[in-house]
Amino acid sequence: MTYERRQAIEVLADTIRTQLNVTTPVDMQQVVSSLKGNLVPITFEDSSISGRIQKTGETFEISYNAEHSQLRSEFTIAHELGHLFLHMGYLVNPDKWNAIDEYYDSPKYRQGYSEEEYEANQFAGAFLMPEKEYRQFIREHSKDNRINVNLIAKHFNVSFDAALTRGKWLGIFQW
């Protein structure tokens, strides 16, 4: 993913947050509802699958793994919104949206081994943990140039891994 594409994804996530009046921590159920979509908790045959998104008429449905933790499910839902906007064009590219009969977020790519999966993860991180807020939180809560990642995770209502990875993508923490 190019730097320009990453920046475009950051801008898109911020724009959608602004348009929907989203605050931190993000209430993903409220976000999906305000977008006229549906959330469906299900048990997948393959328990490693976190979620999927489908176009349903003029709207969409996100299914997420009912057996996963609440924090994992919130990130999954944000990830699926990444597919919705970036790869399906919902509300941002009417031609793309109208051209899609079905979209499959392939489970074989679930672990992030495709460009689309990387982009959806980038969107989820930016949507749940906007760069400005993330950096501001660190400025306000670091001591002796150190920060407790658990505090970041708690503030944004995400997992430790999600908070750490976001910091890595922002160049705050080392890979």
Side-chain angles (χ1 to χ4, degrees), residues 120-165:
N121 282 337
Q122 173 77 27
F123 178 89
F127 192 76
L128 295 170
M129 300 168 276
E131 181 174 3
K132 281 184 178 178
E133 283 187 49
Y134 193 99
R135 290 184 186 281
Q136 182 66 33
F137 186 85
I138 286 177
R139 277 192 297 276
E140 292 174 359
H141 295 89
S142 62
K143 291 182 182 178
D144 300 325
N145 207 24
R146 298 179 70 121
I147 183 72
N148 181 338
V149 177
N150 284 315
L151 288 177
I152 300 169
K154 185 176 180 180
H155 175 76
F156 289 103
N157 197 34
V158 298
S159 69
F160 177 92
D161 288 341
L164 181 62
T165 300

Side-chain angles (χ1 to χ4, degrees), residues 1-151:
M1 178 176 11
T2 66
Y3 174 79
E4 291 78 17
R5 180 68 172 162
R6 283 185 38 232
Q7 289 307 109
I9 292 169
E10 293 281 331
V11 168
L12 178 62
D14 285 343
T15 300
I16 292 167
R17 278 182 66 108
T18 300
Q19 292 296 316
L20 296 177
N21 226 7
V22 173
T23 57
T24 300
V26 179
D27 179 343
M28 292 307 299
Q29 295 225 340
Q30 182 179 348
V31 168
V32 170
S33 178
S34 68
L35 291 168
K36 310 284 190 258
N38 293 308
L39 283 176
V40 180
I42 65 171
T43 301
F44 289 97
E45 266 186 50
D46 179 349
S47 64
S48 71
I49 296 174
S50 298
R52 71 169 176 241
I53 188 161
Q54 297 173 285
K55 181 177 180 180
T56 56
E58 293 303 311
T59 189
F60 64 94
E61 178 178 285
I62 295 174
S63 301
Y64 63 95
N65 195 323
E67 296 177 358
H68 287 184
S69 72
Q70 182 262 338
L71 294 180
R72 177 70 197 148
S73 295
E74 295 287 307
F75 192 90
T76 294
I77 295 164
H79 170 99
E80 298 305 335
L81 288 182
H83 287 302
L84 181 72
F85 296 116
L86 296 167
H87 309 126
M88 298 169 73
Y90 188 70
L91 300 179
V92 296
N93 185 337
D95 291 336
K96 186 182 235 182
W97 176 253
N98 291 329
I100 290 178
D101 289 326
E102 293 181 348
Y103 176 85
Y104 293 100
D105 176 16
S106 174
K108 75 177 186 176
Y109 296 124
R110 180 67 46 214
Q111 299 304 317
Y113 297 123
S114 77
E115 193 73 11
E116 283 191 359
E117 291 302 299
Y118 284 120
E119 290 178 352
N121 282 337
Q122 173 77 27
F123 178 89
F127 192 76
L128 295 170
M129 300 168 276
E131 181 174 3
K132 281 184 178 178
E133 283 187 49
Y134 193 99
R135 290 184 186 281
Q136 182 66 33
F137 186 85
I138 286 177
R139 277 192 297 276
E140 292 174 359
H141 295 89
S142 62
K143 291 182 182 178
D144 300 325
N145 207 24
R146 298 179 70 121
I147 183 72
N148 181 338
V149 177
N150 284 315
L151 288 177

